[in-house]
Amino acid sequence: MQKIFGGKSTTPKKALLLGAGFVVKPTLTFLIDHDVEVTVACRTLESAQKLCKDVKGTKAISLDVENAEALDAEVGKVDVAISLIPYTFHPLVIKSAIRKKVDVVTTSYTSPAMVELEKEIQEAGITVMNEIGLDPGIDHLYAVKTIDEVHKAGGKIKSFLSYCGGLPAPEASANPLGYKFSWSARGMLLALGNTARFLKDGKTEEIPGHDLMSVAKPYSTGYTGFAFVAYPNRDSTPFKEKYSIPEASTIIRGTLRYAGFPEMIRCVVDLDFLSQDTQDFLKPSSNPLTWKEATAKILNSTSSSEQDLTWAISSKHSFANTEEKSRIIAGLRWIGLFSSDPIIPRSTPLDTLCATLEKKMAYENEERDLVFLQHRFEIEHADGKKETRTSTLCEYGDPKGYSAMAKLVGIPCGVAVMQVLAGKMQKGLLAPYTPEICDPLRNELREKYGIDMVEQTVA
């Protein structure tokens, strides 16, 4: 098929879209709407066919990215490869793209394994564009915008805070964690074990993963309808260099959750429910234990009665007060840990718990999700005046369409793909940390798709 524009014939661009996650569909439909021919590749053909159902101009295939020959064969047929598979597999895709001289786009952070390929990427003359989803992605576009504006006016960024939360909308948050799973419960819970590093008042601080929930604090966004708590997320210290703010004495990037989340998680951690150690009594069985029996074994309780389980819990976890104890015990009861329901055994306490959480805390039909992202800049202007400025994105999902999270990852990815295909991106290993990359992406997302962060001076 050929299209005629201005009297010249052009061959449609072709893309290989790798992945089966929830952000794949909005990226897929975006590309199809922009006349890109898309091949969707998943490990199983069934997953790819499901994504392609009712989407014209697509082709579904089964592909194992660890099979270099098969991957090369598919990458060699297209103009761009979009890798929305787990980040550990991106280097395999990039190596194939280097061999076939094909551009790549991902929504993941630029990993050390990718950096090791930077010279080969440059020699191949291809573009590998990373970090263009929501977080990372949209967050970079607006951080760079304000920082660049302040610097050009002779000012300084003294403090930079950035917090993002993917949450159920308030009306859908009625469970003990105030959270629902649109992706792997295991991934979310394991992320809570990552050590956090950040810069505060000129000093680098480090919080071990097991203490992370202890530093979660109420966080005022200025939007008083939300009761958020915030905690630091992974390593914020490289952003001093990435955002070109050597003058900043505080740099913290983190996560938002609803109030009550940290206390529940802290208790679950203390009770060893996030343990990844294999237990014989949790191995798959035709006659699995009940939850109260499994809980008794995990806690080493004298019996599986709720009274004894509560005593065992109190011996392992310190509650702030009686009210908090009642709330958390009620939450554990809601999850089903004291019940006679059979467990879904998955060998470890973590995976067995995840099986139940994914079942009980999935989004129901007609329920919306919420994405809330906010930057807070403490600015010192050239004339010495101080300003506190926020940049905020608050987006709800559409129960009849895409979730807010899927939209805000998928659409920025699609826009970046189109800019790469149009030759608007420079060659090399890229991420949106400069105005030259950020400005065109941010402007198109705002003007064409209504994806914007609202800026306010709050002090």
Side-chain angles (χ1 to χ4, degrees):
M1 181 179 75
Q2 289 190 331
K3 295 197 173 186
I4 307 297
F5 294 101
K8 295 182 179 179
S9 65
T10 60
T11 302
K13 296 293 186 180
K14 297 180 180 180
L16 176 66
L17 183 54
L18 297 153
F22 70 101
V23 303
V24 172
K25 196 63 176 278
T27 307
L28 172 62
T29 54
F30 180 95
L31 296 175
I32 293 297
D33 288 346
H34 288 78
D35 300 319
V36 178
E37 294 181 359
V38 183
T39 297
V40 177
C42 301
R43 188 177 290 272
T44 65
L45 180 60
E46 183 182 11
S47 295
Q49 289 173 331
K50 184 178 179 181
L51 285 164
C52 291
K53 185 180 180 182
D54 301 324
V55 184
K56 294 180 180 179
T58 59
K59 177 184 176 184
I61 64 169
S62 169
L63 180 63
D64 180 359
V65 297
E66 294 182 281
N67 182 332
E69 184 178 351
L71 181 59
D72 282 359
E74 295 303 328
V75 169
K77 297 175 184 177
V78 299
D79 301 291
V80 63
I82 305 140
S83 188
L84 299 179
I85 52 183
Y87 77 95
T88 52
F89 294 106
H90 293 331
L92 297 177
V93 178
I94 294 170
K95 288 176 182 177
S96 178
I98 290 168
R99 291 190 290 268
K100 294 299 181 179
K101 292 184 168 47
V102 169
D103 297 324
V104 178
V105 175
T106 88
T107 58
S108 302
Y109 283 105
T110 305
S111 68
M114 292 183 193
V115 174
E116 289 179 5
L117 298 171
E118 185 166 14
K119 184 179 178 182
E120 294 175 59
I121 290 168
Q122 291 172 337
E123 290 173 349
I126 64 173
T127 298
V128 177
M129 177 65 183
N130 300 302
E131 304 188 35
I132 187 57
L134 166 64
D135 176 8
I138 295 172
D139 57 344
H140 296 334
L141 304 184
Y142 283 85
V144 169
K145 175 182 183 291
T146 296
I147 291 166
D148 185 52
E149 289 172 352
V150 170
H151 283 171
K152 283 181 176 177
K156 298 177 181 179
I157 303 293
K158 305 302 288 184
S159 171
F160 174 75
L161 306 180
S162 179
Y163 290 100
C164 185
L167 297 157
E171 74 274 8
S173 64
N175 66 58
L177 288 173
Y179 193 83
K180 293 208 168 183
F181 296 101
S182 58
W183 63 300
S184 161
R186 191 178 204 274
M188 187 279 276
L189 292 174
L190 284 179
L192 297 172
N194 292 323
T195 295
R197 296 180 76 241
F198 51 91
L199 193 65
K200 187 174 182 181
D201 299 328
K203 297 180 180 179
T204 298
E205 296 191 16
E206 189 167 294
I207 309 295
H210 59 81
D211 289 334
L212 196 58
M213 292 299 98
S214 298
V215 301
K217 296 288 188 294
Y219 187 75
S220 174
T221 61
Y223 291 69
T224 54
F226 294 111
F228 290 132
V229 293
Y231 54 88
N233 183 10
R234 303 200 181 187
D235 191 357
S236 300
T237 58
F239 289 89
K240 191 180 187 79
E241 180 180 348
K242 289 183 177 182
Y243 284 161
S244 299
I245 45 175
E247 72 274 21
S249 59
T250 296
I251 301 174
I252 304 174
R253 300 173 82 248
T255 300
L256 294 174
R257 292 287 180 256
Y258 288 129
F261 178 91
E263 294 83 2
M264 278 296 303
I265 291 295
R266 196 160 64 239
C267 181
V268 168
V269 169
D270 286 350
L271 302 184
D272 289 330
F273 276 100
L274 300 193
S275 168
Q276 298 180 68
D277 295 335
T278 298
Q279 301 291 346
D280 288 340
F281 61 88
L282 296 178
K283 288 182 177 179
S285 164
S286 58
N287 186 29
L289 298 177
T290 64
W291 254 118
K292 64 182 181 180
E293 291 169 339
T295 299
K297 287 181 176 292
I298 292 169
L299 299 180
N300 291 317
S301 174
T302 54
S303 83
S304 63
S305 72
E306 183 167 329
Q307 182 179 19
D308 284 343
L309 292 176
T310 300
W311 274 105
I313 290 167
S314 298
S315 70
K316 288 176 173 285
H317 178 76
S318 297
F319 297 97
N321 51 53
T322 303
E323 182 182 356
E324 180 180 289
K325 179 179 178 179
S326 296
R327 181 178 69 81
I328 291 177
I329 294 297
L332 299 176
R333 186 183 300 114
W334 183 92
I335 291 170
L337 302 190
F338 307 148
S339 74
S340 298
D341 296 336
I343 61 172
I344 304 171
R346 290 187 180 173
S347 299
T348 71
L350 169 66
D351 293 301
T352 302
L353 177 64
C354 286
T356 291
L357 293 181
E358 288 170 358
K359 185 177 179 181
K360 296 203 70 168
M361 295 170 61
Y363 281 93
E364 302 287 344
N365 290 335
E366 303 302 316
E367 287 188 336
R368 306 183 296 169
D369 71 326
L370 162 72
V371 166
F372 196 99
L373 166 64
Q374 186 179 80
H375 300 324
R376 179 178 291 264
F377 307 88
E378 298 294 340
I379 300 167
E380 183 179 294
H381 291 287
D383 61 3
K385 289 183 179 178
K386 306 290 179 64
E387 177 191 357
T388 302
R389 187 184 306 177
T390 59
S391 188
T392 307
L393 170 65
C394 182
E395 179 92 17
Y396 288 95
D398 178 359
K400 293 182 171 60
Y402 297 125
S403 69
M405 183 64 73
K407 172 186 172 181
L408 294 176
V409 175
I411 300 304
C413 178
V415 169
V417 170
M418 295 309 299
Q419 291 193 7
V420 168
L421 288 173
K424 296 179 180 179
M425 293 274 188
Q426 64 196 73
K427 303 301 181 181
L429 182 64
L430 308 179
Y433 290 112
T434 65
E436 291 74 23
I437 295 176
C438 291
D439 291 354
L441 290 166
R442 187 183 60 253
N443 292 338
E444 185 169 348
L445 286 168
R446 182 184 67 250
E447 294 165 8
K448 292 187 178 180
Y449 306 103
I451 296 175
D452 195 11
M453 292 184 74
V454 177
E455 296 177 340
Q456 290 181 301
T457 295
V458 297

